[in-house]
């Protein structure tokens, strides 16, 4: 065995505090340069799933031609405090590119898949929120009516964002590595509640 002082763990990318799913660590320093290059050269393909509230019919029409893409520059809008807020900026900032597609429409909520081409802070949250579809449970970029608690009679325990899939070439031998994380229980339960509410509403409308 080895002592705790001999254990090494390197962290090269982070998830937002309430985001679930796949995260990549290194267990040896030898792997660090290759893993750092994966993210700096955008060789790591990251796919997320989210539940987002459609805030108006206009935005609902705007995302009807899915899949859709968001490309802009993101910068820090609030420069103080632990809860830094980011948004699109006209000058400066870092280029951000996300591809979206709808997995399923659940009434006023969309279950969406997001493919990241860049890894900017809060990128998916900002791109969805500025498009009129903030993620359920997002206390920073969402509306009070769909924050943590209840929304349309469903429970929202946290930010409904999940890092579902990560694919990358191994930094040493270059073999393709693909890691998938199943939807956690709270996310799945949220989907079930939304489906149940939609079915009940459709049943009442038919009567």
């Amino acid at each position: 065995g080895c002592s705790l002082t001999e254990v090494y763990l390197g962290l090269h990318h982070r998830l937002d505090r309430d985001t679930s799913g796949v995260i990549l660590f290194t267990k040896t320093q030898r792997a660090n340069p290759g893993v750092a290059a994966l993210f700096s050269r955008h060789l790591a393909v990251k796919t997320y799933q989210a539940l987002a509230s459609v805030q108006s019919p206009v935005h609902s029409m705007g995302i009807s031609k899915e899949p859709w893409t968001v490309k802009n520059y993101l910068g820090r809008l609030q420069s103080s405090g632990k809860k830094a807020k980011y948004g699109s900026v006209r000058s400066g900032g870092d280029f951000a590119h996300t591809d979206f597609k709808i997995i399923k429409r659940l009434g006023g909520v969309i279950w969406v898949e997001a493919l990241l081409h860049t890894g900017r802070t809060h990128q998916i949250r900002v791109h969805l929120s500025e498009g009129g579809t903030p993620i359920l449970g997002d206390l920073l970029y969402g509306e009070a009516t769909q924050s943590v608690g209840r929304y349309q009679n469903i429970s929202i325990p946290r930010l409904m964002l999940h890092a579902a899939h990560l694919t990358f070439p191994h930094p040493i031998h270059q073999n393709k590595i693909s890691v998938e994380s199943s939807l956690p229980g709270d996310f799945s339960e949220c989907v079930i509640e939304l489906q149940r509410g939609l079915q009940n509403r459709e049943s009442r409308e038919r009567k």
Side-chain angles (χ1 to χ4, degrees):
C2 63
S3 66
L4 291 177
T5 57
E6 296 173 329
V7 175
Y8 176 82
L9 193 65
L11 176 61
H12 288 265
H13 77 120
R14 291 180 171 86
L15 297 179
D16 291 341
R17 182 175 180 178
D18 288 341
T19 302
S20 56
V22 178
I23 192 167
L24 179 62
F25 295 92
T26 55
K27 296 193 293 183
T28 67
Q29 292 186 2
R30 177 175 173 235
N32 283 343
V35 172
L38 291 178
F39 292 99
S40 65
R41 296 167 58 191
H42 308 299
L43 298 176
V45 179
K46 296 173 284 184
T47 305
Y48 289 70
Q49 292 188 18
L51 296 174
S53 170
V54 180
Q55 293 294 292
S56 72
V58 173
H59 289 120
S60 179
M61 291 172 61
I63 62 175
S64 62
K65 294 181 179 179
E66 58 100 11
W68 73 101
T69 295
V70 180
K71 294 180 180 180
N72 60 8
Y73 288 84
L74 299 183
R76 191 165 178 166
L77 303 181
Q78 295 179 353
S79 58
S80 62
K82 293 183 178 180
K83 292 185 178 180
K85 191 171 185 178
Y86 293 78
S88 58
V89 292
R90 292 188 176 183
S91 62
D94 296 310
F95 179 68
H97 175 189
T98 315
D99 289 334
F100 294 99
K101 69 177 181 180
I102 295 175
I103 297 174
K104 194 168 187 178
R105 294 177 183 269
L106 300 163
V109 174
I110 52 172
W111 180 2
V112 64
E113 179 180 278
L115 174 63
L116 283 180
H117 293 275
T118 55
R120 309 309 177 196
T121 302
H122 297 175
Q123 179 173 321
I124 297 173
R125 297 167 66 182
V126 172
H127 280 174
L128 284 174
S129 177
E130 290 188 349
T133 53
I135 298 174
L136 295 182
D138 195 336
L139 298 175
L140 189 59
Y141 297 99
E143 300 292 333
T145 56
Q146 48 88 38
S147 296
V148 174
R150 298 194 68 83
Y151 171 72
Q152 292 189 0
N153 296 318
I154 66 168
S155 300
I156 308 172
R158 63 171 175 91
L159 177 72
M160 290 289 99
L161 180 62
H162 178 68
H165 198 263
L166 178 65
T167 301
F168 57 94
H170 192 281
I172 305 299
H173 52 62
Q174 299 302 308
N175 290 342
K176 182 179 179 181
I177 305 295
S178 185
V179 183
E180 184 174 349
S181 174
S182 300
L183 289 176
D186 56 1
F187 194 113
S188 298
E189 183 60 32
C190 207
V191 170
I192 291 171
E193 288 189 43
L194 284 165
Q195 291 174 324
R196 184 183 298 124
L198 183 60
Q199 290 169 354
N200 291 340
R201 185 160 62 251
E202 290 174 346
S203 176
R204 289 194 300 269
E205 291 173 353
R206 285 194 296 267
K207 292 181 179 180

